[in-house]
Amino acid sequence: MSEPVDLLIRGTLVNVHTGTLEGGAVAVDDGEIVALEERPAERELEAAYVAPGLIDAHMHVESSMVPLVRYAEAVVPRGVVGLIWDPHEIANVLGESGIRSAIADVGKTPLKARITVPSSVPASGLQQGGATVGPDAVDRLLDANAVVALGEVMDVPAVVAGEETVHEKIAAARERGLTVDGHMPRVTGSTLQEAARFLDTDHESISLEEARAKAAAGIRVYLREGSSSTDLATIAPLVEEIDTRFLSLCTDDRDILDLVDRGGIDDVLRRAIAEGIDPVTAVQMATLNTAESYGLPFGRLQPGAPADLVLLSDLETWAVDHVLVDGVVDPTGGSVGAAQWRGPEETRSGGAGDEETRSGEAGERRSAEPSGETPVTALSTDTVACGSISPSDLAHPAPTDADTVTVRVIDSVEGIQTARKTATVPVRDGVLVANREADAIPLAVIDRHRPDGPIGTGFVHGLGLDRGAIATTVAHDAHNLVVAGRTHDAMATVATELCELGGGIAVFDPESEEITALSLPIAGLLSDQPLTVVCDQFEAVDSAATQIGLTDETLLGLTFLSLEVIPELRLTSNGLVDVDRMTYVDVVV
Amino acid sequence: MSEPVDLLIRGTLVNVHTGTLEGGAVAVDDGEIVALEERPAERELEAAYVAPGLIDAHMHVESSMVPLVRYAEAVVPRGVVGLIWDPHEIANVLGESGIRSAIADVGKTPLKARITVPSSVPASGLQQGGATVGPDAVDRLLDANAVVALGEVMDVPAVVAGEETVHEKIAAARERGLTVDGHMPRVTGSTLQEAARFLDTDHESISLEEARAKAAAGIRVYLREGSSSTDLATIAPLVEEIDTRFLSLCTDDRDILDLVDRGGIDDVLRRAIAEGIDPVTAVQMATLNTAESYGLPFGRLQPGAPADLVLLSDLETWAVDHVLVDGVVDPTGGSVGAAQWRGPEETRSGGAGDEETRSGEAGERRSAEPSGETPVTALSTDTVACGSISPSDLAHPAPTDADTVTVRVIDSVEGIQTARKTATVPVRDGVLVANREADAIPLAVIDRHRPDGPIGTGFVHGLGLDRGAIATTVAHDAHNLVVAGRTHDAMATVATELCELGGGIAVFDPESEEITALSLPIAGLLSDQPLTVVCDQFEAVDSAATQIGLTDETLLGLTFLSLEVIPELRLTSNGLVDVDRMTYVDVVV
């Protein structure tokens, strides 16, 4: 205690343990908080407030379409030092080895990502994704480095029914003393009580009553504010009603534009304070409470904790001056605002290259990377096995030689919901084609995980697409290649391009005869480009999709048209599925 | 969910998770809380309030001089279902095997005792107790069943100095994700900051400022209300100042009379509410907060938790109607009041015999037990190795043939404190004897753990003893046989008797020529008798001690005269120790 410490920071401490604000000092040495008092130091900093670094209680990095290292560049300068990542999408594409690659990525950034092992891969037995993650794989993965929980258990009816596979996975987590995350949208009453016996957390409440019932059953309730699901304002009143120790903040899903423009869990914190939640309580909900949920040593401001700190000029607006991770000041580059992050200079100076040098984890070079840099991810870039697609591959054959046929059509009604519908479509050259007046256009789902895999064909209504075609390999949960279009030719053009790119989202506009693409070669889900480039490409694809008639909502809806566990009708690579009955049904009525 | 559950309890639920009171129902099946809602049930109960069973956050069963099974008889009917037991005294007598016996005792009662592995045995290298518990033994024991923490780390200077042995033990607990309990009386400032890096909890605060500083450093503060240390009222205002999630209630030490007359942690809870602490907050401090401190599944009221419940007719006075442990109603017998517990009928009907039958853990019979009953403890009853003691064994030899000699005298000043003093004592037949006018009377410490062990001899002032002699094998921490008396003859008489009893506390009154004894044959610390008998014997010895001049305070002080780590002067079996210098000093100046 006689040697000067590395760093002393003076300011008002946001003491999340006592829930108080008090003027003081934090002494940092060898990456650790060694004292909350004045100490002689090599370096001194002043801040209006000093808080522990924030933790996102539940999220999927994949939603931002960038690998973890890039995600970190966006959030660490904003005071986010940790997150609980459920690599659910990666798991559906790459299985156990993909999850291990995600875990390997954790070491590439100062951001403390902790992993939950996806519990619900595949979504069902009705469609082949890239992989299955069964109880044995879950059991192995729960022992892996950085793993803190079993990821969100989605099949609540199976939990309640005592289904063996899901209970094996839960038991494996319990044996290790790990948390079991739940996923209980609209689950109430006796089903909630039964689920609460086995599941510790939930982030799916969309009403105050639902959140209140879960909290009363002892479930940790996470208040979510993502890009598509924005529940914070609705649930925020709960904070005034109950002990807040079991409440946390999470993003769940943030698209790349929200991430870069507004931030991650820091943005949720800011909104929580704006909703009237006491700032110290809000910080607890984004630090200590989540640390306690998963037994994390960080998210704390006490001697013995890692020096993961945020120096703020203002607490209520979470105005960040500096960020420390393990005592390193601004480890991914200097302080940033959203506008700055859009500039290429900041991205370069705050980029992954610096960090990888710091962490000393130089890996082998890969051709996809600019020369002189280590890979941003251990995840595979070879996950799209389909090749050249011909129009006839995507067409549904006519059952008879009649001029028209009545078919089942997926009605893309609102958000990610669908409804059953029928329509009459014309027959041309032995296949069923679009009925443009009825807005029943061809849809196909190509198994992209294996060469010469099956292709499901059918029809969709309500996307708003009025020319050309759109294709995506971001297609929950199996992440096959989903393509919709006015003609089979346009569909084949855009699908073939997407296969060549190794995945992503592509739009073909026959007016300009151009394909606009967001290339996502990493697992067919993530970009290998810098944040600003991804934002630009995302906006370009979004704009091109708007040009051919889609809205932001129907574009999102498109990525869920193949998810065979959400009502009512979905198209898989194996064919059309009636979700209520969980069986295949014929396209032709 | 269609079959009726075993039991439904209706009442106002003390929901410790949300910190609220709300009318509802608890459904219990197969020993588990399966729902917080109405369910068809085989049996129904009503209560004004339903709370989770209480947990004592830190205590030593040994302080009550009964084994765990008997302790449970006293507290389970009062709504205590768990406790964190540091078998520190057992460890000093019996070492690793004794701790394992303590762990074995956990299975003999429905009371959920969880064990902390004593970290500080022996107190120093200056005196031989029964055993040493080194880093290797700690390492092994941390893997044992029922172990939840490293027990209170007492040598804070060693922690701060980075001393290897203590840090090995701390690291062993950390590796296993276990809690590390602290013991930091009057530790403040930089020492506190440094200790807070390594220690998670503390129960030694005797001032509000001390407690506040510890809480601000992220330490879990336990508010203690024992028999000798009563700090609750002093520290209670902290509850209004800070987030209470890291505050717990504990007893630390409760003597047998307090235990039986007033209760255990239930009594502390009652006093906490009387001090003005919100009842729900107080219950959290005696249930959930402690459960979180040690990662316990009980102390909770939620689906999936064990059905450890207390049915109350009144919350503020903690008036207990029924207690459930793992769904069993009143597992140690019916509801009791303090008065009832003193009656032999209640003790018999609610006794250990029932429980042992229930738990099905029939062990081999031992001669010390009444026939037909299984042993109340796995602990040894053969721990006093010394035999017949002669007066000359206890006398300090005269260094010269002078009539008087000046000697160092332990001044028993207040509570368990001592001070240095000198006095002149007469020489008779070559040995030093009492100076009655100066109240300097002979004191001896006999190594009782090994045959023909050393005997330390010296003088004590301030016990108030004005005739006869008193001896005890309850003598912190080494628990050697300490005997003080006006004459060496009286001392030898009472010490010999105590050896024959196998340990305990004995008083010899020369006026009546009677020895009054509390026999403590289990480890020389605990009685094998029913609670009421132990109370009667304890009161008899206390009364006899009062007759020969001691007070309750000096009787307690006697049991600490041999603890060589508390200032200023102590007598060990190896001789007199100056605590400030941690060296032996001569009795003769």
Side-chain angles (χ1 to χ4, degrees), chain A residues 32 36-37 190 193 197, chain B residues 32 36-37 190 193 197:
Chain A
E32 183 193 324
L36 301 183
E37 64 173 7
S190 292
Q193 296 295 321
R197 293 175 61 198
Chain B
E32 183 193 324
L36 301 183
E37 64 173 6
S190 293
Q193 295 295 322
R197 294 174 59 197

Side-chain angles (χ1 to χ4, degrees), chain B residues 166-222:
Chain B
V166 68
H167 279 281
E168 270 184 64
K169 295 173 182 175
I170 291 171
R174 290 274 174 251
E175 277 164 24
R176 292 166 171 85
L178 297 177
T179 300
V180 176
D181 281 339
H183 170 104
M184 298 177 252
R186 295 179 190 74
V187 174
T188 56
S190 293
T191 305
L192 172 61
Q193 295 295 322
E194 186 67 12
R197 294 174 59 197
F198 304 103
L199 309 179
D200 299 321
T201 77
D202 179 75
H203 54 272
E204 292 286 342
S205 292
I206 60 169
S207 76
L208 182 56
E209 293 67 27
E210 185 183 351
R212 187 186 287 132
K214 287 170 182 169
I219 293 170
R220 287 180 182 267
V221 170
Y222 296 171

Side-chain angles (χ1 to χ4, degrees), chain B residues 254-315:
Chain B
R254 285 241 149 178
D255 69 35
I256 185 67
L257 297 180
D258 274 354
L259 178 73
V260 172
D261 288 346
R262 305 205 317 236
I265 196 66
D266 59 299
D267 180 53
V268 184
L269 173 78
R270 212 175 283 112
R271 290 177 191 218
I273 296 170
E275 288 293 336
I277 297 176
D278 168 71
V280 177
T281 302
V283 173
Q284 287 179 317
M285 290 166 65
T287 58
L288 178 65
N289 298 3
T290 305
E292 294 280 288
S293 185
Y294 297 102
L296 308 175
F298 52 93
R300 303 166 192 270
L301 182 59
Q302 68 182 138
D308 301 341
L309 298 168
V310 188
L311 280 59
L312 301 157
S313 57
D314 185 59
L315 177 58

